[in-house]
Amino acid sequence: MGKKDKRAVRRVTPAEQVAQACKIVLPALAAFAAIAFAYIILYGDSKVTFLSVGDTDTLKTVFYSGQPWVVICLDKSGRVPEYFKKASLALAKEHIHAGALDCKAALPSGKTTLEKFKLTESVKPQMFFVANDKKPQQVDRDTALSSSKLVAFARKEAELKIYQPKNTAELNLSCL
């Protein structure tokens, strides 16, 4: 009855508890910070929407909703160029969407975006603007590579234009 248990229970002090928690929490926070930093470096702060040929609802919005979109065709690397990321921020301020799409991938129709909308493959970078229920308009190289020129181009093209026919023949030509 009088025997003492040789296994004594050692109490952990509050300082030791904090030290143990730091050994677990600090590496986890460092790992999270490293992942967040890598994400920012790789993807940057941009307003680019990645579009997929398999997402027909989103593609219908891009091509047929009337909303203004500037879309860059991705190359084999699948990376969005820095100049387009920068332009996407300025475009967003103008309420113009920026998207990135694999334009050489087959759409559900079997054609590629380049084929469907008759876009020139030789113009690099491949980029187009679409808005106001018009067919996509290819952006020339000089405009595509300059954020300020791209924003000015898209702003101008996104404006609604009112057409007033002067006679019945002009009305028939524009509406039918």
Side-chain angles (χ1 to χ4, degrees):
M1 264 196 187
K3 286 189 175 184
K4 290 185 181 180
D5 188 6
K6 291 188 178 185
R7 290 180 283 150
V9 176
R10 181 176 177 268
R11 298 212 183 261
V12 179
T13 65
E16 290 172 323
Q17 287 176 339
V18 169
Q20 288 175 350
C22 287
K23 287 179 183 177
I24 295 169
V25 173
L26 288 179
L29 284 174
F32 177 76
I35 291 168
F37 182 72
Y39 180 84
I40 290 169
I41 295 298
L42 286 174
Y43 299 105
D45 185 22
S46 72
K47 299 289 184 182
V48 179
T49 301
F50 285 87
L51 305 168
S52 168
V53 293
D55 186 356
T56 55
D57 290 337
T58 302
L59 289 181
K60 284 178 184 176
T61 298
V62 171
F63 292 113
Y64 304 112
S65 71
Q67 296 175 9
W69 280 83
V70 176
V71 178
I72 188 165
C73 296
L74 297 172
D75 60 13
K76 291 177 186 174
S77 73
R79 294 183 127 195
V80 176
E82 288 301 318
Y83 62 85
F84 191 72
K85 289 179 186 178
K86 179 181 174 187
S88 74
L89 298 170
L91 289 166
K93 291 177 184 175
E94 300 289 332
H95 306 287
I96 298 169
H97 304 278
L101 175 67
D102 180 358
C103 297
K104 293 181 181 177
L107 296 164
S109 67
K111 291 183 176 182
T112 68
T113 303
L114 297 173
E115 293 167 343
K116 181 175 177 79
F117 296 108
K118 296 177 177 64
L119 300 171
T120 306
E121 194 170 337
S122 63
V123 176
K124 304 286 184 197
Q126 293 168 334
M127 190 181 297
F128 60 87
F129 175 82
V130 62
N132 305 327
D133 295 323
K134 293 182 182 175
K135 72 176 201 163
Q137 177 182 353
Q138 194 146 15
V139 178
D140 67 74
R141 178 179 171 77
D142 186 46
T143 302
L145 293 175
S146 166
S147 293
S148 60
K149 287 181 182 179
L150 183 59
V151 171
F153 167 81
R155 184 185 312 119
K156 181 178 179 258
E157 292 299 319
E159 290 177 0
L160 289 173
K161 295 166 183 78
I162 298 174
Y163 176 70
Q164 295 180 330
K166 295 179 178 74
N167 55 41
T168 306
E170 284 185 10
L171 177 65
N172 287 337
L173 279 173
S174 64
C175 295
L176 302 174

